[in-house]
Amino acid sequence: MNAEVSPPVAGLRRPDGPAKLAGTARYVADVPAGDALVATMVCATVPRADRAVVDASAARRAPGVAAVLTADDLPPLRYEGAVGQSVLPMTDHVVRYEGQPVALVLADTGERSRHAADLVRVTYEGVRPVLAFADAEDTVESRPMMGPADHGTGDVARGLAEARTVVGATYTTSDRHHSPIEPSATLARWDGDRLTVHDTVQSVSATRAVLATAFGLEAEQVRVVCPFVGGGFGCKGYIWPHQVLTAAAARTAGRAVRLALTRAQMFTSCGHQPQTRQTVTLGADAEGRLTALRHHSVNATSRHHEYAEATTDACASLYAGPHIELRRRMRHTDRATPTPMRSPHEGPGLFALESAVDELAYAAGLDPLAFRLRNLPARDALTGAPFSTHELRACLERGAERFGWDRRAPEPRATREGDELVGLGMAALSLETHRSPSSARVRRTADGRVRVEAGTEEIGTGQPGVLATVAAEVLDVRPEDVEVVFGDSRLPVTSMTAGSSATMGVGSAVLLAARAVREKLAGGAEEAEAEASWGPQEGSDGLGRKDTMSVHAYGAVFVEVRVDALLGRVRVARCTGAYAAGRIINPLAARSQMTGGLTWGLGQALLERSRFDVEFGRFRSKNLAGYAVPVNADVPELDVFFVEDHDTYASPLGAKGIGELAPLGVSAAVANAVFHATGVRVRSLPIGIPDLLEGMPRD
């Protein structure tokens, strides 16, 4: 069952690569700041209190300290827009979560700033008990962002009554943290009433808007610079309190201020993926066709904010069924606010759905692949809308052939090699296509040079190379000869680099601008410049969706696991991913995205868990020693390929999003393979040794 060796992948090598390898790519913490003060946050050590009383007298006397700022020292601020949570700390004295900043120490060096922060003493009044997730009540979003919290069609009770086979189970996923290699950092400087901020963000445009609102400025008075981001994965998508507080500190101190979060502060200051509890009930008739699908989900969120994982989103695009019932809820607890994390929504949701589908296939006596192929939808099962493209069948069939699924023994625990039980598992996957408007400017000079300008950020995905490729194709030059300028709010406004939408939005704007330049050149101009904007079809919602068309990217993932029969240790031996994600602009960068995403999915399946201490209201291990992520030894050879798919409804490029597609389905495929290997069905992530030792028979 050895996977075939993939040939070398063609495409443009990342133009940002040499600078990153040589260490000359400048990140926010590297930007020269001259006389900037260094800020250190003093964070609350309790999860909830009516009042934090800060004694900074000793800290203010420490060497090199310019100021210690508390809620009494900052100007009034309006914290709204694309913000990560609804309440800005240090605008009152209330503590809402452990790790919340209650003071800022400003000093001339980092060492002195941190030393003085240790001298700050904080006492708490009215400390309240921590509320555990299991004890909280279910609540409904007041303003659902991802669509209705309750959605469905038909009558699920009737569908279950008509079913020959019914399965139902509860699945749980853990709190997880983004853990980018670059912690968040902000450098703020005022020049009169003009603010310049170097910040590690996934949207310079959104950051500019939030800061302008916070300080009562016009957008033109704020400049945000961020060419390179050392990983974000969602935690740098919204604007978090520390960013606004740094700018406020710079205004109060009258000097530039730099704040770099510690690794521990990254666990409390810029979101996390919340734990979920999902119940899935499925019914199938005698022919193995779905008669009912019920998916209920609830996730933890903070007490002062709403964040709901739309875990039920993938159901209608993956499977046909006359009776569907989807519901999502939240439970407010004393912890920091969650946020989108690669991949939000479908990431935790597909673990539950695709595990349940696997269980139903076994209960119905059908091969898991055959069951999925039998239940593919012709249209969106909820709205009845046609699909813009729908290549899921091709992903399933071609992925299975490449993986060697037909050589799989159907019964669990049927294959053993030495002390290892061998199992094969798979999952289907779907990612809703979110689209946002963007602008770009393209210039071609008389000597043939091409320059692309857009405010977008490079967050590690190779975006500059994609934009260079788009412009080069239109203007008939080599991609290597296209200069891409990015990461500055003075450049044309682009959407957030998130939601797997950047290539569609920014790339389409570059395409249209390049075409306009080409037309000017064809008319006799020696050099030309054009700026263009692109956005989804008229009538689309804030995420670029319309009820008249269902737009998704698709895929299928197949894995082989080997489980030590004595120790219960799981090892993924090989993995094949087949994807239909529209036109692939740069195959080399796209393959890198998918292998990185598959690795991320393995982390969710087997390693990643942020343990929350309900007694003290804090995450226990705020470091990478206590929070495990995959390393080389955990990752097998990954076989990735793309099914041809050109979707001009999604974007003029024919492209869809891929960044968040690859992690999807991996955890379910691993869990399904573990069941095939051992006969033990694990319904909680990550899968641990105790899960298997407790359930495996002793041979």
Side-chain angles (χ1 to χ4, degrees):
M1 290 190 178
N2 292 328
E4 62 185 76
V5 177
S6 300
V9 180
L12 175 67
R13 292 187 178 275
R14 291 171 50 161
D16 53 302
K20 290 178 177 178
L21 289 172
T24 58
R26 184 165 286 172
Y27 294 84
V28 171
D30 304 322
V31 174
D35 63 344
L37 296 169
V38 179
T40 298
M41 292 196 306
V42 178
C43 298
T45 57
V46 299
R48 191 172 185 186
D50 293 335
R51 183 177 182 84
V53 181
V54 179
D55 179 1
S57 54
R60 291 190 173 106
R61 295 193 300 268
V65 172
V68 180
L69 306 178
T70 69
D72 297 324
D73 302 304
L74 295 182
L77 298 166
R78 289 177 57 200
Y79 185 56
E80 57 186 55
V83 295
Q85 61 185 49
S86 55
V87 178
L88 181 65
M90 294 178 59
T91 54
D92 59 25
H93 297 277
V94 177
V95 172
R96 295 174 175 84
Y97 55 93
E98 187 270 343
Q100 171 190 313
V102 295
L104 277 177
V105 176
L106 310 181
D108 56 356
T109 69
E111 292 80 1
R112 287 176 164 178
S113 180
R114 290 189 292 272
H115 169 68
D118 289 338
L119 300 177
V120 175
R121 296 293 176 260
V122 184
T123 56
Y124 305 95
E125 300 174 352
V127 177
R128 304 186 189 182
V130 178
L131 190 64
F133 174 71
D135 299 329
E137 295 182 357
D138 291 358
T139 60
V140 183
E141 301 161 86
S142 60
R143 292 181 295 176
M145 176 182 175
M146 301 299 296
D150 295 343
H151 208 358
T153 185
D155 182 347
V156 165
R158 175 185 166 189
L160 292 174
E162 294 173 349
R164 177 178 177 178
T165 307
V166 175
V167 299
T170 296
Y171 306 85
T172 62
T173 64
S174 298
D175 289 306
R176 300 165 65 220
H177 279 84
H178 307 72
S179 300
I181 194 170
E182 178 203 25
S184 294
T186 305
L187 171 64
R189 183 186 299 275
W190 289 85
D191 182 10
D193 62 354
R194 307 190 74 85
L195 172 63
T196 300
V197 173
H198 294 261
D199 209 346
T200 173
V201 297
Q202 291 175 230
S203 176
V204 294
S205 300
T207 305
R208 178 180 67 175
V210 170
L211 291 173
T213 298
F215 294 98
L217 305 174
E218 297 297 324
E220 293 73 21
Q221 294 174 271
V222 180
R223 181 188 182 193
V224 179
V225 182
C226 178
F228 297 113
V229 179
F233 317 116
C235 74
K236 298 171 183 174
Y238 292 108
I239 292 77
W240 296 94
H242 68 271
Q243 299 165 265
V244 179
L245 294 177
T246 302
R251 172 172 261 188
T252 302
R255 290 172 62 180
V257 172
R258 188 202 306 273
L259 171 68
L261 297 188
T262 66
R263 179 60 62 185
Q265 289 168 349
M266 289 294 293
F267 279 75
T268 55
S269 299
C270 47
H272 61 279
Q273 186 170 78
Q275 65 184 104
T276 71
R277 181 181 178 87
Q278 304 173 58
T279 301
V280 182
T281 306
L282 304 175
D285 62 19
E287 296 181 349
R289 299 190 185 279
L290 283 169
T291 62
L293 190 162
R294 176 186 287 142
H295 189 173
H296 292 182
S297 175
V298 60
N299 68 262
T301 190
S302 66
R303 194 188 294 273
H304 58 281
H305 191 80
E306 291 185 347
Y307 177 78
E309 289 279 6
T311 49
T312 60
D313 271 9
C315 295
S317 59
L318 279 179
Y319 297 112
H323 307 291
I324 299 176
E325 179 183 295
L326 310 179
R327 188 181 78 183
R328 66 173 185 264
R329 297 289 187 269
M330 304 170 297
R331 293 182 183 175
H332 293 274
T333 60
D334 292 315
R335 62 184 72 189
T337 300
T339 200
M341 174 173 162
R342 186 192 192 194
S343 299
H345 314 313
E346 293 96 335
L350 280 170
F351 167 65
L353 177 63
E354 284 299 282
S355 294
V357 167
D358 204 69
E359 295 200 46
L360 181 58
Y362 275 99
L366 293 172
D367 175 85
L369 173 63
F371 183 89
R372 288 170 171 84
L373 290 170
R374 191 167 300 184
N375 285 283
L376 296 182
R379 304 173 77 85
D380 189 291
L382 287 179
T383 66
F387 296 111
S388 55
T389 62
H390 191 269
E391 296 295 338
L392 179 55
R393 178 177 295 277
C395 292
L396 289 166
E397 292 178 341
R398 290 182 56 189
E401 179 181 7
R402 188 151 164 163
F403 181 74
W405 182 264
D406 60 341
R407 298 191 293 273
R408 169 183 175 272
E411 295 298 323
R413 294 184 64 88
T415 305
R416 180 166 182 158
E417 296 183 7
D419 290 334
E420 291 184 322
L421 300 169
V422 182
L424 306 185
M426 56 86 59
L429 52 120
S430 167
L431 177 70
E432 187 173 39
T433 299
H434 294 167
R435 303 172 298 158
S436 301
S438 287
S439 302
R441 185 163 48 242
V442 176
R443 178 186 304 126
R444 175 155 181 175
T445 60
D447 59 3
R449 291 180 297 169
V450 175
R451 179 183 173 98
V452 173
E453 298 178 343
T456 191
E457 306 77 22
E458 207 310 287
I459 67 170
T461 60
Q463 181 77 343
V466 170
L467 302 183
T469 299
V470 172
E473 287 182 351
V474 176
L475 298 174
D476 195 25
V477 299
R478 298 188 313 161
E480 294 86 348
D481 296 330
V482 178
E483 178 189 14
V484 180
V485 182
F486 55 93
D488 193 324
S489 62
R490 290 181 175 178
L491 299 171
V493 175
T494 61
S495 60
M496 184 183 296
T497 308
S500 299
S501 63
T503 293
M504 287 179 287
V506 186
S508 293
V510 170
L511 174 74
L512 299 178
R515 286 176 177 174
V517 167
R518 185 177 62 186
E519 290 180 6
K520 292 180 180 180
L521 295 173
E526 292 187 2
E527 59 181 49
E529 177 180 298
E531 185 168 332
S533 298
W534 176 85
Q537 291 80 3
E538 184 177 354
S540 299
D541 67 9
L543 296 175
R545 305 173 298 189
K546 288 190 71 173
D547 289 340
T548 55
M549 189 68 73
S550 186
V551 188
H552 296 77
Y554 294 94
V557 60
F558 300 81
V559 301
E560 175 186 316
V561 302
R562 292 171 177 260
V563 182
D564 190 303
L566 299 175
L567 302 178
R569 181 178 61 86
V570 179
R571 177 172 62 90
V572 177
R574 60 191 181 98
C575 177
T576 294
Y579 302 99
R583 180 191 169 206
I584 305 303
I585 307 298
N586 186 348
L588 185 63
R591 184 185 185 280
S592 178
Q593 278 282 282
M594 307 318 278
T595 55
L598 286 170
T599 301
W600 189 283
L602 295 177
Q604 181 196 30
L606 298 172
L607 296 168
E608 294 182 54
R609 173 185 290 156
S610 293
R611 297 184 183 274
F612 189 78
D613 188 317
V614 297
E615 180 179 359
F616 296 102
R618 67 183 300 276
F619 290 108
R620 292 179 181 173
S621 299
K622 300 179 190 175
N623 52 60
L624 294 181
Y627 183 86
V629 297
V631 297
N632 285 349
D634 300 308
V635 184
E637 182 69 25
L638 302 174
D639 179 29
V640 170
F641 71 97
F642 293 95
V643 170
E644 186 174 351
D645 180 24
H646 195 88
D647 192 341
T648 54
Y649 182 90
S651 70
L653 289 170
K656 298 178 184 176
I658 66 171
E660 293 178 339
L661 184 64
L664 301 180
V666 178
S667 57
V670 171
N672 295 338
V674 166
F675 173 76
H676 182 243
T678 66
V680 178
R681 179 65 68 177
V682 182
R683 301 186 179 97
S684 181
L685 294 181
I687 300 169
I689 289 175
D691 298 319
L692 298 176
L693 290 183
E694 291 174 5
M696 281 196 303
R698 292 287 163 244
D699 297 335

